[in-house]
Amino acid sequence: MSITEILIILLVAAGTFFGFVAVVGIVRLPDLYTRAHATSKSDTLGIILTLSGAALVFGADLAVAKTALLGLFLFVTNPTAAHAITRAAYDQGIAPWTTEGEE
């Protein structure tokens, strides 16, 4: 197994791990604001790592440029969309989760 193959496996495995962290964040966290934070951060990192692994698989090709542009697009739009969603929720009066009143 070459160094490139090991790097591809590590990048895709790390991307899968961070994707899994995003899923756990959606399931386990209590409200929209914390869920949006968990998914926007870890999902973006997972996508970037997985696309980096895919770019290494393609080698020097036009597909690498397309993969890089896709990664750049997702890097900008994923956190922006999460911000827009949480801002809209705040404007609608959806209160963040607190521990007040719970014992």
Side-chain angles (χ1 to χ4, degrees):
M1 193 177 288
S2 70
I3 299 291
T4 306
E5 291 171 340
I6 293 171
L7 187 58
I8 291 167
I9 291 169
L10 289 175
L11 285 171
V12 172
T16 304
F17 170 75
F18 283 107
F20 179 73
V21 168
V23 170
V24 170
I26 289 174
V27 172
R28 297 279 304 174
L29 294 174
D31 69 341
L32 178 123
Y33 302 105
T34 55
R35 289 175 183 168
H37 179 74
T39 57
S40 68
K41 303 299 181 198
S42 59
D43 194 35
T44 302
L45 182 59
I47 289 169
I48 296 298
L49 290 172
T50 304
L51 285 176
S52 298
L56 284 177
V57 169
F58 292 135
D61 195 8
L62 180 61
V64 173
K66 290 180 182 180
T67 305
L69 287 174
L70 180 62
L72 179 65
F73 176 76
L74 289 170
F75 186 74
V76 172
T77 58
N78 202 6
T80 305
H83 175 76
I85 290 169
T86 55
R87 181 65 183 207
Y90 181 77
D91 290 342
Q92 291 295 316
I94 297 173
W97 177 81
T98 61
T99 58
E100 292 178 14
E102 294 184 11
E103 295 180 28

